[in-house]
Amino acid sequence: MYSVLIVDDEPMIRKGIHTVLAGANLPIDDIREAANGVDALSMMREKIAHIVISDLRMPKMDGLELCRRLRKLCPEIFIIIVSGYDDFKYAQEVLQYGVKNYLLKPV
């Protein structure tokens, strides 16, 4: 079973992704949510998630910095970026941190 951490400053996006994952009949037994990169990093230090689904633009710590820190904390983590069209060039930067997929909002 896998654990997932959803990181986005928009509550509706977090709830939507959570709902889709919870109802998708996937081998996921733990879905947590964080509103920004600082909270996500704190949560990851307490309990490592297998998969992180993160927005790029968030207050306190953006997704790029979160990806950089997560890669150091847990090199094998699977990261998926969720963002808008305007962030595509920015999203390309996270590829150096092993991001596995880029999804466009709305998801």
Side-chain angles (χ1 to χ4, degrees), residues 16-105:
I17 294 171
H18 189 131
T19 300
V20 169
L21 291 175
N25 197 28
L26 296 169
I28 297 171
D29 64 351
D30 179 36
I31 303 172
R32 295 178 288 152
E33 299 178 22
N36 59 63
V38 171
D39 292 347
L41 197 56
S42 175
M43 292 172 77
M44 288 290 286
R45 287 186 176 127
E46 291 175 17
K47 181 181 177 191
I48 298 290
H50 298 100
I51 302 165
V52 172
I53 301 172
S54 178
D55 189 11
L56 281 177
R57 295 189 180 182
M58 298 177 289
K60 297 184 182 181
M61 180 189 301
D62 67 14
L64 181 61
E65 181 64 16
L66 176 61
C67 288
R68 185 183 73 74
R69 292 184 184 199
L70 287 176
R71 189 58 57 205
K72 288 182 179 179
L73 178 67
C74 186
E76 66 279 358
I77 195 160
F78 192 95
I79 303 171
I80 298 169
I81 293 297
V82 179
S83 194
Y85 286 109
D86 293 341
D87 293 326
F88 183 72
K89 288 183 180 181
Y90 187 47
Q92 288 176 316
E93 293 182 47
V94 298
L95 293 176
Q96 66 183 318
Y97 302 115
V99 169
K100 301 297 183 190
N101 209 336
Y102 175 81
L103 303 176
L104 299 174
K105 286 183 182 179

